[in-house]
Amino acid sequence: MSVPRATARLQFYRGFTLDDAVAIVPYLHRLGISHVYASPLFTARPGSTHGYDVIDPNVVNPELGGEAALRRLVAALRARGMGLVLDIVPNHMAVGGSGNVWWQDLLEWGRASPYADFFDIDWNPAAVFLRGKLLAPFLGKPYGICLEAGEITLRFDPADGRVFAAYYDHRFPLAPRDYPKVLAGGGGALAAAVAPLAALPAGARGAPAARERAAATRRRLTDPELAPAVAAALTAFAPCRPEGRARLHAVLERQAYRLAWWRAADEINWRRFFDITGLAGLRAERAAVFAATHEGVLRLYAEGLIDGVRIDHVDGLADPGGYCRRLRRHLAAAAARRPPGSDHAPAPIWVEKILAAGERLPPGWDTDGTTGYDFMDRVSAVLHDPAGVAALTATWVEASGRPPGFIEEVAAARRQILRDNLAAEAEALAVAVRAIALQDPATRDYGLAAIRRVLDALLAHFPVYRIYAGPRGPVAADIGVMRHACALARASLGAADHALLGLIGGWLGGDGLRALPASVRAVRLRAMLRFQHLTAPAVAKSVEDTAFYRYGRLLSRNEVGSDPETVACGPEAFHADMRARRARWPRALLATATHDQKRGEDTRARLAVLSERPDLWADALGRWMRHTAGWRHGDAPDPADAAILFQAILGAWPLDLSAADPAGLARFGARMAAWQQKALREAKRRSGWGLPDGGYESACQGFLARLLDPTRSDGLTEEIAGLVARIAPAGALNGLAQTALRLTVPGIPDLYQGTEVWDFSLVDPDNRRPVDFGALASALTGDPAPDALLPQWRDGRVKQAMIRRLLGMRARLPSLFAAGAYRPLLVVGARAQHALAFARIGRESAAVVVVSRLAALLPGVERMPLVAPEAWGDTEVVLPRRLPAGEATCALTGAPVRLAQPRLRLGALLAGLPVATLVLR
């Protein structure tokens, strides 16, 4: 089976291996999952907890059990008719350390390395001292200090005959041409061994003959009899003596890299993943790089071990569309070699792509859609009440003193990120734009200062991750985005910069590109690509990794793929989006939880209740802020951080946690403390990853500890628990509603590990904690009806049972949910706004789906996640004419439902559960 019916995302690391996954295959099968959706499985940096720091893209990670374990997992899956989807990382590789042999070769041979063009390196940057070199900013302190402290030393590896500079776990190989000079003091036999490298011509050192000469020399150096001589030679470079440090420095200055303090990364001349110096960008657009980095995944697909792929961070690639199409072609070619019995249908390809409001995934990429952040945004929004937005905004402003709008926080954060985190990339873009200006006498007088100023405004207001203009110029969507961005930037610039803004907008947007001479076009394309490679990390870092932690109006909307400016959408907008999804992307993934989320799906569902009860939140927050005013040490935490903390606690508080449970409070407090530290550093207002403010963080953690200590909180711990109890039933109702929608709307539902029960997690690493699959399997024993479990809703089994039943329905009616039409249904009556309904209609079957929404103030919900049947009054769902009259079956309860009338009373339909799914065949 190539096309999944439902996926289950599993996070693999050495604490949860491929063999561990074999043990849970029976459970996933019983739950109704068709495909395991694996985090990256190729060899990553030792000890990696996520797999995105790949050092070998073609070998299955030995820490996960290697390929033998992968084959055991696939055998277990195939035995139950299940498949495997693999997350791949084409944009970057992990560098630093010593494990990436391509990077090590690049350091050793420089531009002569066969891997010099694999990584996105500017070998001719503005900084003269980096011409022909790459900056290596891996030192914990300034280079000179590390050198003087003896932290950088020359060492010899007797296993492979290499001499290298060592800095803790980092290994920087010396160029072979330097071996004769470095090892000259080791005596005659050693001198003879390295003599062939003395005549190695500088211009030919990357040629195969030169590399073979170097390899032969290294083989000779592995002779144990030479080890004492090598050791003696290296003593001349011991940094403990001034002359040794001087010699060591001279040798290091001759290398193809320049060792530097990590803070010197503002001059880095190679592309990173965002601002992470340990992850270097790959040039996947080059055919040779694609072939070398995809050998493993294409082989696994050809051998029938995987069935589809998820592409990580597609916007980091130079040409996402071209990459996806190339991958599609190669997978199609590999399909012909799949074993007998394998599905030879086109392999599904999903892309991790964050879509802004109104932005669409380009259909020309030949993918099956996104990984589901867009759905996660939409399903969350329809469970929020727009009526509460104004009051929530006023509460946030009053409590925090921060701006009322999210967009103000983003603009400030964007400028800070460009200044502090992406300075090298911003400067390289300015230089590239200056090169365009210098090509024309009419524009050559625009200097770098003016260009920087305009680019700063343009980048600060850029509304999407990136545009995709290339050698053929812009596409229609790019033109609209650039016009909008320029309009926003214009308002923040002086009149003197408006003309230059127009020019830069045209240059970077690809205007008139195809009519330009080749040399002029090449300069323009270089700047366009730099711009596109900068906007994506600038947007992501400023929004998801900064402003989300500064703006606390309603944290449920501070989520990847969402815009906190837009709190809610109505059923009409939701239906329109689902119909478009059915028409354009019927095989896109449907996610409500991911490994990259900011908070768990049920945490968001609970906090959504505050949009219905802004009065409750305003009263509570105001009272808590006054109550704790005397607890603060100076201004720590400041009002904004305190207000965000209170809301985060409210959302994540476990359902089984009592304010009288010291051990439980301690466990929860440890989780919240880890989240708080990350939140403070991500916000970059009072602390940060680069320069943490230990005093501020310590005071904030002391504040948190007192909040969760009933013996010191003067009753506040109990009050917080009391508010959780008041909104938890409505939050659980929202959680069941979003689960039902994910499993029934057009698309392929994705289940993140462990979220089949309540998910009150926080941002990673909290949401990547080990999952007790044994307990989950035990909870699934038998086939209890969800309505029978609703009275015990706090244990989460009702959610798990609902997932099992709805996935079972999808298995019985595959064509209905793969291709059936999506028909919005009209809800009428006094409580019409509190329900959402639609039908999936196929040739031989149909399903009617109804979910409760905005139910916090309805009778019954104060006690459990269910509206009292009588509270629905005259509210009805109007059925479409195409549905056959007669008897239907509720997929959740198994009860028959007579459809004698063209309308269904919600009081009867939703008497036992807050959601209903009727199947007609």
Side-chain angles (χ1 to χ4, degrees):
M1 171 190 306
S2 283
V3 181
R5 185 176 63 250
T7 60
R9 170 73 181 210
L10 298 181
Q11 294 294 117
F12 289 94
Y13 67 111
R14 61 185 176 189
F16 183 80
T17 67
L18 292 160
D19 281 318
D20 292 325
V22 171
I24 68 168
V25 168
Y27 163 69
L28 295 176
H29 182 254
R30 283 194 295 131
L31 190 63
I33 298 299
S34 69
H35 285 64
V36 165
Y37 165 19
S39 61
L41 297 181
F42 290 114
T43 305
R45 200 192 305 274
S48 174
T49 59
H50 48 75
Y52 290 98
D53 44 359
V54 175
I55 59 174
D56 188 331
N58 298 313
V59 174
V60 177
N61 197 341
E63 288 191 354
L64 307 181
E67 189 164 318
L70 174 62
R71 291 181 180 277
R72 288 191 290 271
L73 173 59
V74 173
L77 292 169
R78 298 298 189 226
R80 290 167 175 80
M82 300 168 69
L84 180 65
V85 172
L86 180 60
D87 194 344
I88 61 173
V89 190
N91 175 68
H92 56 265
M93 292 182 76
V95 297
S98 61
N100 187 328
V101 295
W102 295 354
W103 185 258
Q104 289 289 303
D105 193 275
L106 174 64
L107 295 176
E108 185 175 25
W109 293 93
R111 297 191 73 170
S113 168
Y115 305 106
D117 291 333
F118 275 42
F119 300 95
D120 202 350
I121 302 168
D122 182 0
W123 293 102
N124 192 34
V128 176
F129 57 82
L130 285 176
R131 301 278 171 85
K133 292 176 176 278
L134 71 154
L135 191 69
F138 297 101
L139 306 182
K141 296 188 285 286
Y143 167 74
I145 294 176
C146 291
L147 196 66
E148 187 171 356
E151 295 176 350
I152 305 171
T153 58
L154 281 192
R155 295 185 187 174
F156 174 68
D157 185 344
D160 71 358
R162 279 185 166 85
V163 179
F164 60 95
Y167 176 76
Y168 295 99
D169 294 335
H170 295 283
R171 178 168 166 162
F172 304 97
L174 295 194
R177 69 176 185 276
D178 283 316
Y179 280 37
K181 294 179 181 178
V182 170
L183 301 178
L190 181 59
V194 297
L197 298 181
L200 199 64
R205 59 184 186 274
R211 292 177 66 88
E212 177 52 36
R213 190 184 302 179
T217 299
R218 287 195 296 267
R219 286 193 294 272
R220 286 193 290 272
L221 290 176
T222 61
D223 183 347
E225 294 186 0
L226 292 178
V230 173
L234 294 184
T235 60
F237 299 87
C240 57
R241 299 192 302 270
E243 61 272 20
R245 286 198 299 274
R247 294 189 190 101
L248 176 57
H249 170 64
V251 169
L252 292 175
E253 289 293 279
R254 292 198 298 269
Q255 303 311 305
Y257 48 84
R258 179 184 175 94
L259 293 185
W261 187 22
W262 66 268
R263 289 185 181 275
D266 57 4
E267 291 186 307
I268 201 165
N269 61 328
W270 43 276
R271 181 169 59 87
R272 302 171 287 176
F273 172 72
F274 290 10
D275 61 342
I276 303 174
T277 303
L279 298 175
L282 287 165
R283 302 183 68 186
E285 71 277 10
R286 297 177 63 89
V289 178
F290 181 95
T293 55
H294 289 71
E295 174 188 326
V297 66
L298 292 172
R299 180 179 64 81
L300 295 183
Y301 180 68
E303 293 183 13
L305 296 176
I306 64 170
D307 303 288
V309 295
R310 178 255 200 197
I311 301 169
D312 179 62
H313 188 47
V314 72
D315 275 340
L317 301 169
D319 178 12
Y323 168 84
C324 292
R325 291 187 292 271
R326 174 178 277 166
L327 179 61
R328 173 69 73 192
R329 292 194 300 272
H330 281 76
L331 286 171
R337 304 194 302 274
R338 282 169 72 83
S342 298
D343 193 333
H344 289 66
I349 299 174
W350 296 284
V351 293
E352 184 200 27
K353 164 68 180 166
I354 309 300
L355 297 168
E359 185 183 10
R360 292 181 178 177
L361 186 67
W365 287 8
D366 202 9
T367 70
D368 291 273
T370 73
T371 55
Y373 287 119
D374 42 340
F375 172 75
M376 189 160 72
D377 168 59
R378 233 19 177 177
V379 75
S380 176
V382 81
L383 299 174
H384 283 70
D385 191 346
V389 174
L392 288 170
T393 304
T395 298
W396 165 245
V397 172
E398 181 180 355
S400 68
R402 302 292 297 175
F406 182 66
I407 194 168
E408 293 99 323
E409 295 285 13
V410 170
R414 188 79 54 81
R415 286 191 163 95
Q416 181 177 345
I417 290 296
L418 291 166
R419 181 188 69 237
D420 297 344
N421 300 75
L422 300 171
E425 292 80 358
E427 182 62 15
L429 173 60
V431 171
V433 172
R434 171 72 166 144
I436 298 175
L438 289 173
Q439 289 184 312
D440 188 338
T443 58
R444 73 178 191 179
D445 292 337
Y446 286 114
L448 270 175
I451 289 170
R452 291 188 188 108
R453 194 164 56 243
V454 170
L455 286 173
D456 181 70
L458 184 61
L459 291 164
H461 296 92
F462 206 70
V464 298
Y465 262 49
R466 62 171 286 179
I467 58 173
Y468 302 99
R472 297 182 179 180
V475 297
D478 292 344
I479 296 171
V481 168
M482 289 301 294
R483 285 177 179 170
H484 180 53
C486 287
L488 294 173
R490 184 184 180 91
S492 66
L493 288 168
D497 287 326
H498 289 176
L500 179 57
L501 173 64
L503 288 169
I504 290 178
W507 291 340
L508 298 180
D511 290 358
L513 187 68
R514 300 180 71 177
L516 297 174
S519 60
V520 177
R521 187 165 60 249
V523 174
R524 181 86 67 85
L525 283 168
R526 189 175 303 117
M528 289 166 58
L529 185 55
R530 285 200 177 278
F531 179 66
Q532 292 167 27
H533 272 150
L534 177 55
T535 57
V539 171
K541 290 293 294 181
S542 61
V543 175
E544 299 163 21
D545 295 344
T546 306
F548 275 3
Y549 295 92
R550 296 181 177 184
Y551 187 71
R553 176 173 67 184
L554 190 57
L555 296 182
S556 53
R557 297 299 290 151
N558 293 16
E559 189 52 84
V560 181
S562 295
D563 179 2
E565 285 282 343
T566 303
V567 172
C569 77
E572 297 79 9
F574 180 83
H575 288 316
D577 191 70
M578 295 306 108
R579 296 184 83 166
R581 180 178 294 273
R582 164 64 185 82
R584 300 189 187 104
W585 304 108
R587 301 205 304 185
L589 292 181
L590 303 166
T592 49
T594 77
H595 65 286
D596 274 337
Q597 67 191 14
K598 299 304 178 184
R599 47 193 47 83
E601 62 181 44
D602 297 304
T603 308
R604 294 193 307 272
R606 180 189 291 171
L607 291 177
V609 177
L610 301 184
S611 69
E612 302 177 65
R613 298 300 312 273
D615 55 331
L616 198 64
W617 176 236
D619 290 345
L621 182 60
R623 191 166 56 253
W624 298 348
M625 295 290 281
R626 292 189 297 271
H627 185 106
T628 58
W631 297 7
R632 300 188 179 95
H633 294 270
D635 64 343
D638 70 16
D641 288 335
I644 289 173
L645 174 64
F646 281 127
Q647 197 176 140
I649 291 173
L650 190 67
W653 189 284
L655 283 169
D656 60 354
L657 178 60
S658 165
D661 177 7
L665 287 170
R667 289 191 296 271
F668 181 52
R671 291 177 52 214
M672 288 303 307
W675 168 86
Q676 183 188 53
Q677 183 186 74
K678 180 169 184 173
L680 295 175
R681 294 181 181 183
E682 293 282 45
K684 306 173 188 67
R685 290 193 310 110
R686 305 296 303 272
S687 192
W689 294 107
L691 191 63
D693 186 329
Y696 185 78
E697 291 184 2
S698 178
C700 289
Q701 297 221 343
F703 181 87
L704 168 63
R706 186 170 176 179
L707 276 180
L708 298 179
D709 184 352
T711 66
R712 297 190 296 137
S713 69
D714 302 321
L716 189 53
T717 311
E718 292 85 354
E719 189 172 334
I720 293 172
L723 183 56
V724 171
R726 290 186 66 179
I727 67 172
L733 182 147
N734 286 341
L736 295 177
Q738 76 174 350
T739 299
L741 293 172
R742 173 167 54 91
L743 300 178
T744 54
V745 301
I748 297 172
D750 174 43
L751 174 76
Y752 181 68
Q753 60 178 32
T755 63
E756 55 265 50
V757 292
W758 300 126
D759 171 26
F760 296 108
S761 63
L762 299 155
V763 72
D764 69 275
D766 190 69
N767 67 342
R768 301 178 190 176
R769 287 171 294 153
V771 176
D772 189 346
F773 285 106
L776 291 173
S778 296
L780 201 65
T781 301
D783 187 21
D787 55 332
L789 297 174
L790 191 65
Q792 296 83 41
W793 61 274
R794 291 178 177 274
D795 63 17
R797 289 184 300 148
V798 61
K799 182 182 177 185
Q800 184 189 41
M802 192 171 80
I803 291 171
R804 180 181 188 178
R805 295 248 173 149
L806 291 180
L807 289 182
M809 173 189 67
R810 292 181 69 101
R812 293 189 298 273
L813 302 169
S815 62
L816 173 63
F817 288 96
Y822 181 95
R823 174 81 175 271
L825 299 183
L826 181 65
V827 182
V828 297
R831 305 287 194 189
Q833 66 170 325
H834 298 289
L836 180 148
F838 60 90
R840 300 298 307 276
I841 302 174
R843 291 184 177 181
E844 300 177 352
S845 59
V848 172
V849 180
V850 183
V851 302
S852 307
R853 62 184 289 269
L854 308 185
L857 289 171
L858 297 185
V861 182
E862 70 279 2
R863 298 183 304 276
M864 63 188 303
L866 182 69
V867 177
E870 63 274 11
W872 288 110
D874 63 347
T875 309
E876 299 175 318
V877 173
V878 180
L879 299 177
R881 295 179 180 176
R882 287 182 58 188
L883 290 181
E887 194 170 271
T889 302
C890 179
L892 292 170
T893 66
V897 179
R898 185 70 179 171
L899 302 180
Q901 302 294 328
R903 299 188 177 198
L904 285 173
R905 284 277 177 137
L906 293 195
L909 185 64
L910 301 178
L913 285 170
V915 302
T917 301
L918 305 183
V919 175
L920 301 91
R921 301 180 72 172

